[in-house]
Amino acid sequence: MVGEELRAERPHSVRAAGCRCACEPGLGLSASAVPCHRRRGGEEAGLPALPPGRTVSACPVTVVQPETPHRALPASAGAAEGSRHGGGGSRHPPGSAGGAAQEHFGLNNPTGMNCLLDGTIPPSSGLSSSSALVCCAGLVTLRANGKTLSKVELAEICTKSERYIGTEGGGMDQSISFLAEEGTAKLIKFSPLRATDVRLPSGAAFVIANSCVEMNKAATSHYNIRVMECRLATKLLSKSKGLDWEKMLRLHDVQTKLGVSLEEMLTIVEEVLHPEPYSAEEICKCLGISLEELRSQILSQNTRDVSTFKLYQRAKHVYSEAARVLEFKKICSEAPANALQLLGELMNQSYISCREMYECSCPELDRLVDICLQFGAIGSRLTGAGWGGCTVSMVPTDKLNAFLKDVKKAYYQSDVQRLALEKNSLFATKPGRGALVFVEA
């Protein structure tokens, strides 16, 4: 798993090359930037209240605080606007983050806001545009109402906000949006949320390339099906080991309760789960519950009609991906002479697992990864939820210009639609700092 991030003027966070699928097993490696177009008076999250009538920016949201309070944005506010600013977040409103902050502080009469949204992130590209929007909305809501929270608390509130639309997402995007620091990736762990610096080796750049295939995870069931498959695998593994399976939700929970290594968990997966898809009836038999109980108590609303589930493949991907994350950190810490080659191999292994075990790739992503490897990338894989969106590739710095030229010609210039999007679809990156509030003097 490899940390990567976008150019400074691109306001969003991007996960690392390691998987964030289904938020399992609570571990990821990330680097991010959520910069602002306004450069005066930069301040970090959680500072005192903004005087009335001043402008505050936390890209991609600009908020003008009015002199007097008025009705807060409803949960659906800004949904139409969200579609212009990328991501599976076409239904992710600023009001959802504001609503969570309002709930947290018990605000009965919150300050109203006029919001101007702006961004350059390609829609549904897997570059965390929706999370960036929610995080910025949460940040400016706090500022406008004179409230403060730690970065960790902000990340947790914004993570909760994104679930209001029914996407069973995790917290990596929101965490790196607030916790990112310039020049370093972050190893992110949950329960509790914490982040550790991971210094990336020199001699390589990380390049984002958009497949130009959009997948709105909020409008499809693909993403939630994977979450449910991980949850069901968790319950079957738990029951097989005599754990209280009804209370177990994440694969990480099984490992923690058993007190074993990721490698040992992979062995347990081989012993307990079979590679053939499980029917809903077989799962019910394994757990000793009825089909109605499965649908009403375990499955999410948009996965209750799914008839088969691949539990072995999803669990194997999650545990092996978590192991790659830790191996990546180890390589960065030890810095062997062949570090770049070792990290590239991890990226390639990760992509193969995403494609074959988690099945979240698509033909266009497969082709783009092949093109990137063909023209000099040491490693390449998809980033984001999958089924479209972007690849991230590690490219030697001395080959970067030639790489960008060759990929542009091979993937973008052969297609009129892709070529029209190429300006915001192919670029080199480096780690930057997280979300800030910029107050105009």
Side-chain angles (χ1 to χ4, degrees), residues 61-344:
V61 181
T62 300
V63 176
V64 179
Q65 181 178 358
E67 294 287 346
T68 56
H70 58 77
R71 184 176 59 88
L73 290 172
S76 61
E81 285 293 304
S83 63
R84 295 195 296 112
H85 301 285
S90 59
R91 293 292 306 278
H92 287 226
S96 62
Q102 179 180 343
E103 178 183 332
H104 180 85
F105 286 105
L107 297 175
N108 295 321
N109 191 24
T111 299
M113 298 179 291
N114 296 318
C115 298
L116 172 65
L117 314 180
D118 190 24
T120 59
I121 309 170
S124 300
S125 59
L127 299 182
S128 305
S129 58
S130 56
S131 295
L133 177 61
V134 171
C135 287
C136 291
L139 186 56
V140 296
T141 298
L142 289 181
R143 184 77 184 196
N145 285 276
K147 301 297 182 180
T148 59
L149 287 173
S150 69
K151 293 180 179 181
V152 169
E153 289 172 315
L154 268 171
E156 290 173 340
I157 283 182
C158 290
T159 298
K160 178 182 177 182
S161 297
E162 291 209 56
R163 294 178 185 147
Y164 288 167
I165 63 166
T167 299
E168 298 284 341
M172 188 182 291
D173 296 352
Q174 299 83 2
S175 300
I176 196 60
S177 287
F178 290 116
L179 302 177
E181 296 181 44
E182 188 171 358
T184 181
K186 293 283 186 179
L187 176 70
I188 297 176
K189 296 183 179 181
F190 297 91
S191 302
L193 173 60
R194 65 255 192 226
T196 305
D197 288 353
V198 177
R199 295 291 173 181
L200 302 174
S202 60
F206 293 94
V207 177
I208 301 298
N210 188 7
S211 69
C212 301
V213 175
E214 297 185 10
M215 199 292 287
N216 185 342
K217 67 184 181 185
T220 62
S221 60
H222 299 0
Y223 188 87
N224 279 2
I225 289 174
R226 295 298 182 274
V227 178
M228 291 303 110
E229 286 174 321
C230 288
R231 184 170 298 173
L232 291 168
T234 296
K235 293 186 179 298
L236 265 65
L237 290 170
S238 298
K239 185 163 187 180
S240 74
K241 294 299 177 180
L243 302 176
D244 187 356
W245 65 268
E246 292 181 339
K247 295 181 179 179
M248 306 288 276
L249 297 176
R250 302 180 304 160
L251 290 167
H252 177 60
D253 297 337
V254 183
Q255 182 194 358
T256 300
K257 287 290 186 182
L258 294 178
V260 300
S261 67
L262 290 167
E263 290 72 20
E264 290 172 308
M265 281 308 310
L266 285 168
T267 300
I268 292 173
V269 169
E270 295 284 349
E271 294 171 350
V272 175
L273 303 177
H274 57 68
E276 297 76 24
Y278 285 75
S279 66
E281 290 74 15
E282 183 180 3
I283 292 171
C284 291
K285 183 178 180 180
C286 291
L287 297 178
I289 60 176
S290 67
L291 188 59
E292 177 57 31
E293 288 173 319
L294 173 67
R295 290 171 174 168
S296 63
Q297 298 177 16
I298 300 178
L299 299 180
S300 61
Q301 186 173 358
N302 64 347
T303 61
R304 289 171 184 168
D305 293 330
V306 178
S307 58
T308 59
F309 303 87
K310 295 185 178 182
L311 309 189
Y312 167 85
Q313 290 84 350
R314 311 319 183 213
K316 189 171 182 180
H317 169 74
V318 165
Y319 287 126
S320 65
E321 188 76 333
R324 283 186 284 271
V325 173
L326 298 181
E327 181 64 18
F328 180 91
K329 181 179 183 293
K330 179 182 177 182
I331 293 170
C332 287
S333 299
E334 297 177 352
N338 62 339
L340 293 180
Q341 285 69 33
L342 294 175
L343 298 179

Side-chain angles (χ1 to χ4, degrees), residues 376-397:
I378 304 171
S380 186
R381 57 147 292 161
L382 64 83
T383 186
W387 298 282
C390 293
T391 63
V392 55
S393 301
M394 186 166 63
V395 181
T397 51

Side-chain angles (χ1 to χ4, degrees), residues 355-383:
R355 184 186 66 204
E356 298 181 359
M357 302 304 290
Y358 213 69
E359 296 181 280
C360 60
S361 186
C362 67
E364 292 83 358
L365 279 173
D366 294 342
R367 180 165 179 257
L368 188 51
V369 166
D370 288 343
I371 287 173
C372 290
L373 293 173
Q374 176 187 346
F375 290 115
I378 304 171
S380 186
R381 57 147 292 161
L382 64 83
T383 186

